[in-house]
Amino acid sequence: MTRPRERVLVSAHRAGAGLRVDLENSSTAFAAALALDVDFVEFDVQRCADGVLVVAHDPTFVRDGDEVAFTDVTAAEAREHSPGLLTYDDALGLLAGRRSAHIDLKASAARPEQAVAATALAVERLGPDGFVVTTGSDRAVRAIRDWGDSQGLTLLVGLSLGRNTRGLAVRERIRIRRSELLPGRRLRLSRASVVVAHHWLARLGVARFARRRGIPLLVWTVDTPRALGHWLRPGRAWLVTTNHPELALAIRADATYRRSSSR
């Protein structure tokens, strides 16, 4: 639970690649994030046809001019095209004992049984306090929380709000946004222990909702100096994900200095 004067934590988005899309979720990006004093390193997880989890943001990649879904190829086939592609186990190994992980399970990896298996591996590699797992799947969040309870574990499991509604019918878009702006029912049924909100949803009321209920708030993706200054103020959030972790750390340190100097 976020206390009024508690320092807001910083997470390096897409493993610390910043705006270098070509480096996102790569070993190079992980190395850059680990060189900073970030609290968490965020990475995205997709599932391949053979069940192997890989670290990638998009559900597809381009091979010989064609778009190929990870779910249609094995991990070995995907790595033939992208030799630097990390497996989920690789990513956990890079962070073990060094930083906490922010594991974002994308749709292909968020079936309840798959989400539970991914979480169990994270517990094994990082310990139950070494990560937060997030997904937009209410059913996956509930499955992870139920599994954690069965193991006697208190896990940080976040329900992500801020789904891309592009291409959906107007009525469906309204339904989704309403469920995100008024997330009480979804959070109760999913048993989410963390509220995960896009920064504009957080400003529109989700942050207030989380504070009133004492639920940790994870805000994504915060990049401008002004927005970082807002969300890094103690009590505004529990964790902030950013493409500019170095800037975020500088702003947080400056804010901490100004507060201590004014006492």
Side-chain angles (χ1 to χ4, degrees):
M1 184 184 298
T2 302
R3 296 188 295 272
R5 304 292 297 179
E6 189 172 334
R7 183 179 74 164
V8 178
L9 304 180
V10 173
S11 177
H13 188 230
R14 299 191 188 183
L19 301 181
R20 288 287 305 275
V21 177
D22 58 316
L23 294 179
E24 66 182 24
N25 293 308
S26 67
S27 58
T28 300
F30 273 93
L34 289 169
L36 300 174
D37 193 26
V38 294
D39 305 287
F40 283 76
V41 177
E42 187 267 355
F43 61 93
D44 308 290
V45 181
Q46 301 282 356
R47 181 179 181 273
C48 291
D50 54 358
V52 176
L53 300 177
V54 295
V55 180
H57 179 270
D58 296 336
T60 62
F61 63 95
V62 178
R63 183 178 63 186
D64 299 328
D66 296 322
E67 199 167 272
V68 179
F70 282 103
T71 52
D72 290 336
V73 297
T74 65
E77 290 170 335
R79 293 184 96 165
E80 283 180 10
H81 173 76
S82 304
L85 182 69
L86 297 173
T87 66
Y88 176 59
D89 195 53
D90 290 335
L92 296 179
L94 289 171
L95 298 179
R98 305 178 73 183
R99 295 291 187 280
S100 294
H102 171 187
I103 304 162
D104 191 24
L105 300 178
K106 297 303 184 183
S108 68
R111 290 182 181 176
E113 67 278 7
Q114 297 164 358
V116 167
T119 303
L121 184 58
V123 169
E124 179 184 327
R125 299 296 300 276
L126 306 177
D129 300 322
F131 66 94
V132 56
V133 59
T134 63
T135 177
S137 167
D138 301 49
R139 292 177 61 236
V141 171
R142 177 64 185 246
I144 295 170
R145 284 300 312 277
D146 289 348
W147 174 81
D149 287 352
S150 74
Q151 303 299 307
L153 302 174
T154 301
L155 300 174
L156 290 170
V157 189
L159 178 64
S160 296
L161 307 174
R163 174 183 166 187
N164 185 349
T165 61
R166 189 177 303 164
L168 298 178
V170 173
R171 181 176 296 181
E172 180 65 5
R173 291 167 66 180
I174 292 173
R175 184 194 68 77
I176 291 170
R177 288 293 177 253
R178 179 179 175 82
S179 76
E180 293 174 335
L181 288 167
L182 301 170
R185 185 172 186 274
R186 290 183 63 190
L187 290 167
R188 184 175 67 256
L189 294 176
S190 69
R191 302 187 61 233
S193 54
V194 178
V195 178
V196 185
H198 188 278
H199 61 88
W200 62 261
L201 275 175
R203 281 186 182 265
L204 286 174
V206 174
R208 184 168 59 253
F209 172 92
R211 282 195 297 270
R212 285 178 176 174
R213 286 158 179 79
I215 306 173
L217 173 68
L218 192 166
V219 184
W220 59 278
T221 300
V222 185
D223 285 342
T224 67
R226 183 174 180 178
L228 284 167
H230 173 85
W231 289 113
L232 288 171
R233 289 184 61 183
R236 289 277 168 85
W238 164 64
L239 177 65
V240 167
T241 300
T242 178
N243 283 309
H244 303 292
E246 193 165 8
L247 173 62
L249 292 171
I251 290 173
R252 185 176 71 178
D254 181 62
T256 300
Y257 171 77
R258 285 188 280 105
R259 285 197 306 276
S260 63
S261 299
S262 64
R263 292 173 184 172

